[in-house]
Amino acid sequence: QLFKSPWFLLDFSLVCVGIIALVVAPILGQGRLGGIEFEKVLVVRGLRLLRLARALRMVGHFKVIWRLVYGILTAGHTMLSVTCLVALWLFIFGCVAVEIITKDMDLRSNPETQSIVQHAFGTLPRSILTLLQFVTMDSIADVYFPLIMAKPWLLIYFMPILLFFSVALMNLVTAVLVEHALEYAAHEAEAERLKTKSKIKAALPALLEIFHRLDTDESGCITREEIAHVPLDMLPPKLLETVSVDSMTDLFELLDVDGGGTLTQNEFVEGLLNLVLLDVPIWTIQTLKLLRLIRGITLQIGDDVKHLKHGALGNALGNAPGWA
């Protein structure tokens, strides 16, 4: 399984390079291999800094950096496919350029295009390197403009190159990279959700135990009197770090949003879970509960208005003349 991990393969290759440069080469008495000094090869050890970027993903402020690095690392297959496709198209268009530009005697004899044909399209490799400029949009006007002015029909040749390399292909590559980034963000969000779910599952028994210890009369609700003399040490330490409360009574006031004077098991556990695990601000919890309470009251008022309306309509019909 280790050899399937890209991080292990990276470390293994860097260690091999280091052993060859620092141990094998001095023993053999050779400091160069193929005209390259081993000390220069050791520069690739700087790739281990990628591990630093990987570790920084645990810090909230550096998650964006890791997403960029991960997007580059996971785009290898995409970039390889794009490279092969670009190389194939460059070879095809390079062969066409040799036939229609290099061998064109009018362009070779024209003073304005003679130098372009000789230096840019003189051979097949030169033609491919010249067309590579269309991929990067590197001073391509100096190449195609004089040729098109001399031979307008060459627009049919250069237009597909411009549309494919400069516009369509690069935009497609960007779209694929963005798609990979969105997929990684979705996987990361799912992993975070599962992590939070496991935390809630682990913390739920402890919170239920705290609730039952506070509910001295076993009524299923905690009152202000039951919680008033309980020390704060009973609560989880992370809760005390999240919420600044001086006593259990202050915590009761925070959780008792509707002002009923009691806390049910669901209200107590849900409020503590939101504060401890979900890092939800207390005012957000209070606002949501108040909105829920207002919605319930609004629905109750609507039902009461319906009953009053039906009762008033029945009384009106009963008191109408001729109603029997």
Side-chain angles (χ1 to χ4, degrees):
Q1 298 294 331
L2 288 176
F3 287 95
K4 295 181 179 180
S5 173
W7 294 107
F8 174 79
L9 295 176
L10 174 63
D11 291 338
F12 181 76
S13 60
L14 294 178
V15 169
C16 291
V17 170
I19 292 175
I20 294 173
L22 301 178
V23 179
V24 178
I27 293 177
L28 298 178
Q30 295 180 358
R32 302 173 65 87
L33 178 63
I36 302 177
E37 296 182 0
F38 283 112
E39 288 75 7
K40 295 181 179 179
V41 178
L42 293 178
V43 176
V44 298
R45 291 184 297 181
L47 294 175
R48 301 198 66 177
L49 292 175
L50 293 174
R51 280 194 171 273
L52 176 61
R54 188 188 184 195
L56 290 177
R57 77 186 193 277
M58 305 303 298
V59 183
H61 296 288
F62 295 98
K63 284 186 177 181
V64 177
I65 297 178
W66 169 245
R67 286 178 182 175
L68 294 174
V69 174
Y70 184 84
I72 295 174
L73 295 178
T74 55
H77 180 72
T78 301
M79 301 308 296
L80 179 61
S81 302
V82 171
T83 302
C84 294
L85 184 61
V86 169
L88 177 61
W89 280 88
L90 288 177
F91 179 78
I92 294 175
F93 279 99
C95 294
V96 175
V98 172
E99 296 295 330
I100 66 175
I101 296 178
T102 307
K103 297 181 180 180
D104 193 312
M105 300 307 298
D106 295 334
L107 294 176
R108 297 177 67 91
S109 59
N110 191 332
E112 296 181 358
T113 60
Q114 182 179 9
S115 60
I116 298 176
V117 173
Q118 292 178 353
H119 292 88
F121 297 97
T123 60
L124 179 59
R126 284 178 176 268
S127 300
I128 294 176
L129 289 177
T130 301
L131 295 177
L132 186 61
Q133 295 180 229
F134 287 81
V135 180
T136 60
M137 301 288 288
D138 182 18
S139 303
I140 58 177
D142 296 335
V143 176
Y144 69 81
F145 184 78
L147 296 176
I148 293 178
M149 293 300 296
K151 295 282 187 177
W153 60 268
L154 286 177
L155 182 65
I156 303 175
Y157 170 76
F158 286 106
M159 185 59 67
I161 299 176
L162 288 171
L163 294 178
F164 179 77
F165 289 118
S166 305
V167 180
L169 184 61
M170 294 300 105
N171 288 334
L172 287 176
V173 172
T174 304
V176 171
L177 294 179
V178 171
E179 183 181 3
H180 282 297
L182 293 177
E183 289 179 358
Y184 172 74
H187 289 308
E188 191 178 41
E190 181 67 17
E192 189 68 24
R193 187 186 68 82
L194 294 176
K195 183 179 179 180
T196 303
K197 185 177 179 180
S198 63
K199 285 184 178 180
I200 292 175
K201 186 177 181 180
L204 190 59
L207 295 179
L208 291 175
E209 182 182 355
I210 293 174
F211 176 83
H212 291 305
R213 291 172 60 185
L214 295 176
D215 186 18
T216 55
D217 58 357
E218 298 182 356
S219 60
C221 296
I222 299 176
T223 62
R224 185 178 287 102
E225 291 75 15
E226 290 176 332
I227 206 174
H229 303 290
V230 177
L232 287 173
D233 299 338
M234 182 180 291
L235 298 177
K238 187 174 181 180
L239 174 63
L240 299 178
E241 297 175 0
T242 306
V243 183
S244 298
V245 291
D246 298 329
S247 63
M248 293 292 288
T249 305
D250 295 338
L251 180 63
F252 184 89
E253 296 295 336
L254 292 177
L255 300 179
D256 186 22
V257 180
D258 56 1
T262 59
L263 287 177
T264 63
Q265 178 176 301
N266 290 336
E267 290 177 338
F268 180 80
V269 174
E270 181 183 355
L272 291 183
L273 284 176
N274 289 330
L275 291 174
V276 178
L277 298 179
L278 303 181
D279 295 330
V280 179
I282 186 62
W283 55 84
T284 302
I285 300 174
Q286 293 177 337
T287 301
L288 293 176
K289 288 189 174 182
L290 283 175
L291 290 176
R292 189 182 307 167
L293 180 62
I294 292 172
R295 182 176 181 274
I297 296 175
T298 304
L299 293 176
Q300 183 64 36
I301 293 175
D303 294 337
D304 294 340
V305 170
K306 281 185 180 180
H307 290 304
L308 291 175
K309 184 177 180 181
H310 289 305
L313 182 60
N315 292 332
L317 293 177
N319 296 329
W323 177 264

